[in-house]
Amino acid sequence: MGAKKILSYGRSVLVMLLVLYLILVWMYFKDNARQLTSAGLLLWFVTIPLLFLGSIMALLWWQKKLDKQTTDTPEMLDGTADKTDTIKPPDTYQLFVYSRVCLPEGNRWSEVVDNDEDLTVLSENLTDIDGMPMLVKPIARLTHAAALPYPNISTNAYLADSEFDDGYSDSDLDSHLDDDRFTERKAALNETTLRLQALIYEQLGLSEEILSNLAEHFHQHHQKNTTQSNAAIDIHPEWQQHYLVSANEASNANNSSKENSDDTMTAASAGHLANLPIYLCLPASADTAFLIATIKEQLATYGIPDTRLAVTTIMTDGTDAANIVANNSANNTLIATPADFINKHLLPLSKSTAPDLCLILIADSQISEEWLDTYLYSEQMTNVIPTEAGALLLFFNQAAQELLNIDASTSILLTEIGTARPTELVSDKRRYLNHLTAIKNLLIDNTLSLSPTNTTALKATDKQTIKPTKKSSDINNKENYKTNVPIEDMKITAMSDINPLKQPYDLSTYMSFLEAFIAQGALVNEHHLGHYMPLNNWLKPFISLSLFIDLAKEDQQESDRSFLITQHKNCNMLWLADSFQTSD
């Protein structure tokens, strides 16, 4: 890469020197009265410029030679391998996903994509720069915040967000719980927080089935851990002391074999879910303590106690790591972008052989004075209609699916595409083209059907409930994970998070990418979903994913294939409906 840059800079310098030389020589002989001879003409205007041009062409040939060597390197690394198998496909991870989306158009793929109504209305409270009522696009079906219950905020959260100082004790706080402070606190909540409360309430209400399923699992596991009774209470008082001494001796004996017991507990814990990690993505202006308390209370109504929750809050206003707040010390990992969330949480979750899951809940509302002051008025934005949206996604691995047996889930294959080297200086436009080219070759080569490359046999006692896994030799054999349908007979639904109004170049590149499938004879339907919440970098990719999941759940023919491409800073994520998924 260094040699290429030197050659490129060298050619540029020679070109500039050649131009400068010709200008100076021409000016010299123009102003000089001396007669120009044939020999001088040949030397100054032919021989020397040809030397410059020859040097420039030599550098250009050298650079092309280096480029060709770089391109041919993967094929020359393994000369004995089959030419069709020299390029190893990127790692593909299997995830089961349950999703819900909340948009002004609706909650389902068919409601959103087929909705052509004008959902904008004039706001009664918001005005534009000229003082005229603004057009907004709200979710009309949301429950009004006044009708929602006020959550019981815990002592720690209340103290962290109130005017109480460290001198107050729990008893002092309890004495104030019934006064006007809670009333004042709710009245002081900004419009964004109240609207987000309604959004979160709606999304959790739409997920009642999966939440009840999780609550049942946590209840069964919790009951197993709390059914041990204190036998000393039921013994005659004269024998209680003797019983407790015997229990202490048994405890000391157990401590001598602590390592073995720890291994046993670890193996036992692999068969259940200890808690529910929740990643709550909110704007910085929201009252996070209030919204977390809202979530905990609503989950408690389904039977999930707050002791089973591990909530991490992510500020979605920007990508600066300093804006990220981690409320759970166990998960105190900086998550600045959706790509960070995928790499740090979803990929390890997929690789785990023990049951594992996580829930991401994203909510944002632009219909408030806070948002207008921050974005519209300060940046003088035009042609922007404030709106609101939310997305809820529950990701879990194969072991968790075997454990919970969630019928409403969808098996998805996730592939991270990154063709540019970390040290290579490539423009965003060129990088996007490279990524799409890699995805095109991958999908066409595998006939739009991949297989998880990280599949590992799960350790479980009930072998009948575990689906047969593919061996590594089968994964390397492309014929074992090709579809039986030729690409010319396929109906392909391709989706992306491109905003056609703001990304015309990316749209043109993406359409050229789809033409390769059309040229193969496939019937391609494309959808661009990036115009939903364009100012929120978290909602855009996960709304697209939620709609993709909803579409993938519908009954499809063998010839139907769906995939989604979401673009991040240095890579693209390919989400492909798992063609190997079988309905139980």
Side-chain angles (χ1 to χ4, degrees), residues 97-100 108 202-217 298-299 301-304 359 392 394 396 401 404-410 550 553:
V97 189
Y98 174 92
S99 70
R100 285 291 182 265
R108 302 182 61 83
E202 174 76 8
Q203 292 181 81
L204 294 178
L206 294 172
S207 310
E208 180 177 358
E209 177 184 359
I210 188 70
L211 295 177
S212 300
N213 195 330
L214 290 174
E216 181 180 358
H217 173 80
Q298 190 168 355
L299 293 180
T301 61
Y302 296 109
I304 303 178
L359 184 144
L392 180 150
L394 180 70
F396 46 101
Q401 170 64 12
L404 300 174
N405 193 22
I406 302 175
D407 295 333
S409 64
T410 302
D550 191 67
K553 287 191 299 186

Side-chain angles (χ1 to χ4, degrees), residues 173-437:
L173 179 61
D174 293 337
S175 65
H176 291 82
L177 290 181
D178 296 329
D179 63 10
D180 295 335
R181 288 188 178 270
F182 277 137
T183 304
E184 294 175 359
R185 179 185 174 88
K186 185 168 185 179
L189 292 173
N190 55 36
E191 299 175 13
T192 301
T193 300
L194 295 175
R195 201 60 183 171
L196 293 180
Q197 182 191 23
L199 256 173
I200 293 173
Y201 186 87
E202 174 76 8
Q203 292 181 81
L204 294 178
L206 294 172
S207 310
E208 180 177 358
E209 177 184 359
I210 188 70
L211 295 177
S212 300
N213 195 330
L214 290 174
E216 181 180 358
H217 173 80
F218 288 136
H219 177 73
Q220 292 176 353
H221 173 66
H222 184 68
Q223 286 295 105
K224 292 179 181 179
N225 291 340
T226 58
T227 51
Q228 296 180 356
S229 60
N230 188 354
I233 298 178
D234 302 324
I235 300 177
H236 192 275
E238 295 182 0
W239 285 90
Q240 285 184 10
Q241 188 65 28
H242 175 75
Y243 178 87
L244 293 175
V245 171
S246 300
N248 290 333
E249 293 176 354
S251 177
N252 294 332
N254 289 335
N255 289 334
S256 62
S257 59
K258 183 177 181 180
E259 293 182 359
N260 294 333
S261 63
D262 289 342
D263 294 339
T264 304
M265 291 180 63
T266 301
S269 64
H272 70 270
L273 299 169
N275 56 17
L276 174 61
I278 299 178
Y279 297 90
L280 183 60
C281 303
L282 300 171
S285 60
D287 188 330
T288 56
F290 177 83
L291 295 176
I292 290 175
T294 298
I295 293 174
K296 290 183 176 180
E297 275 208 1
Q298 190 168 355
L299 293 180
T301 61
Y302 296 109
I304 303 178
D306 58 358
T307 55
R308 299 294 172 183
L309 304 179
V311 183
T312 301
T313 306
I314 302 172
M315 298 294 106
T316 60
D317 296 76
T319 58
D320 186 3
N323 293 332
I324 299 165
V325 179
N327 289 333
N328 180 22
S329 58
N331 294 323
N332 194 12
T333 304
L334 294 180
I335 310 170
T337 64
D340 290 338
F341 175 77
I342 292 173
N343 291 322
K344 295 178 181 179
H345 297 284
L346 296 190
L347 298 188
L349 183 149
S350 173
K351 297 176 184 178
S352 175
T353 57
D356 197 5
L357 54 76
C358 69
L359 184 144
I360 181 170
L361 182 58
I362 314 170
D364 194 6
S365 177
Q366 301 170 345
I367 308 176
S368 64
E369 288 289 349
E370 294 84 15
W371 186 86
L372 294 179
D373 292 339
T374 304
Y375 295 101
L376 187 63
Y377 298 150
S378 61
E379 301 182 11
Q380 300 294 320
M381 289 178 143
T382 59
N383 299 325
V384 174
I385 298 178
T387 182
E388 53 193 356
L392 180 150
L393 297 103
L394 180 70
F395 299 94
F396 46 101
N397 57 10
Q398 175 73 37
Q401 170 64 12
E402 302 288 355
L403 181 66
L404 300 174
N405 193 22
I406 302 175
D407 295 333
S409 64
T410 302
S411 178
I412 298 297
L413 300 176
L414 168 63
T415 305
E416 181 179 0
I417 306 295
T419 57
R421 296 177 179 84
T423 58
E424 188 174 353
L425 298 178
V426 181
S427 65
D428 290 339
K429 294 180 179 180
R430 186 66 183 177
R431 182 183 294 113
Y432 188 52
L433 175 61
N434 292 342
H435 291 173
L436 288 184
T437 302

Side-chain angles (χ1 to χ4, degrees), residues 568-582:
H568 298 292
K569 184 176 181 181
N570 295 315
C571 66
N572 284 72
M573 300 295 175
L574 169 65
W575 304 82
L576 182 68
D578 189 0
S579 59
F580 288 93
Q581 181 185 12
T582 57

Side-chain angles (χ1 to χ4, degrees), residues 26-279:
W26 176 77
M27 292 178 63
Y28 173 78
F29 286 104
K30 178 183 176 183
D31 298 335
N32 198 328
R34 189 179 63 179
Q35 184 68 27
L36 180 62
T37 63
S38 300
L41 178 64
L42 181 64
L43 173 65
W44 297 106
F45 288 96
V46 178
T47 304
I48 296 179
L50 284 179
L51 290 176
F52 275 106
L53 289 175
S55 302
I56 294 172
M57 297 303 296
L59 293 178
L60 181 60
W61 172 83
W62 194 359
Q63 184 175 4
K64 289 184 177 181
K65 183 179 179 180
L66 290 178
D67 292 338
K68 185 178 179 181
Q69 290 177 352
T70 303
T71 305
D72 295 341
T73 298
E75 299 180 359
M76 300 184 339
L77 290 178
D78 188 4
T80 59
D82 189 358
K83 292 183 179 180
T84 59
D85 293 331
T86 53
I87 300 178
K88 180 183 177 182
D91 290 337
T92 301
Y93 305 89
Q94 183 185 41
L95 284 169
F96 288 83
V97 189
Y98 174 92
S99 70
R100 285 291 182 265
V101 68
C102 193
L103 295 170
E105 291 80 1
N107 300 328
R108 302 182 61 83
W109 165 266
S110 58
E111 297 174 355
V112 173
V113 175
D114 299 334
N115 194 327
D116 55 359
E117 298 180 9
D118 184 7
L119 301 176
T120 58
V121 296
L122 284 174
S123 174
E124 299 178 356
N125 302 320
L126 304 180
T127 57
D128 58 16
I129 299 176
D130 299 324
M132 302 296 293
M134 286 197 64
L135 278 175
V136 296
K137 190 178 179 182
I139 302 177
R141 61 187 177 278
L142 290 185
T143 304
H144 195 274
L148 296 176
Y150 186 87
N152 294 321
I153 302 179
S154 65
T155 301
N156 293 335
Y158 186 85
L159 285 173
D161 241 6
S162 67
E163 298 178 354
F164 284 108
D165 55 25
D166 296 336
Y168 278 89
S169 62
D170 290 345
S171 59
D172 296 328
L173 179 61
D174 293 337
S175 65
H176 291 82
L177 290 181
D178 296 329
D179 63 10
D180 295 335
R181 288 188 178 270
F182 277 137
T183 304
E184 294 175 359
R185 179 185 174 88
K186 185 168 185 179
L189 292 173
N190 55 36
E191 299 175 13
T192 301
T193 300
L194 295 175
R195 201 60 183 171
L196 293 180
Q197 182 191 23
L199 256 173
I200 293 173
Y201 186 87
E202 174 76 8
Q203 292 181 81
L204 294 178
L206 294 172
S207 310
E208 180 177 358
E209 177 184 359
I210 188 70
L211 295 177
S212 300
N213 195 330
L214 290 174
E216 181 180 358
H217 173 80
F218 288 136
H219 177 73
Q220 292 176 353
H221 173 66
H222 184 68
Q223 286 295 105
K224 292 179 181 179
N225 291 340
T226 58
T227 51
Q228 296 180 356
S229 60
N230 188 354
I233 298 178
D234 302 324
I235 300 177
H236 192 275
E238 295 182 0
W239 285 90
Q240 285 184 10
Q241 188 65 28
H242 175 75
Y243 178 87
L244 293 175
V245 171
S246 300
N248 290 333
E249 293 176 354
S251 177
N252 294 332
N254 289 335
N255 289 334
S256 62
S257 59
K258 183 177 181 180
E259 293 182 359
N260 294 333
S261 63
D262 289 342
D263 294 339
T264 304
M265 291 180 63
T266 301
S269 64
H272 70 270
L273 299 169
N275 56 17
L276 174 61
I278 299 178
Y279 297 90

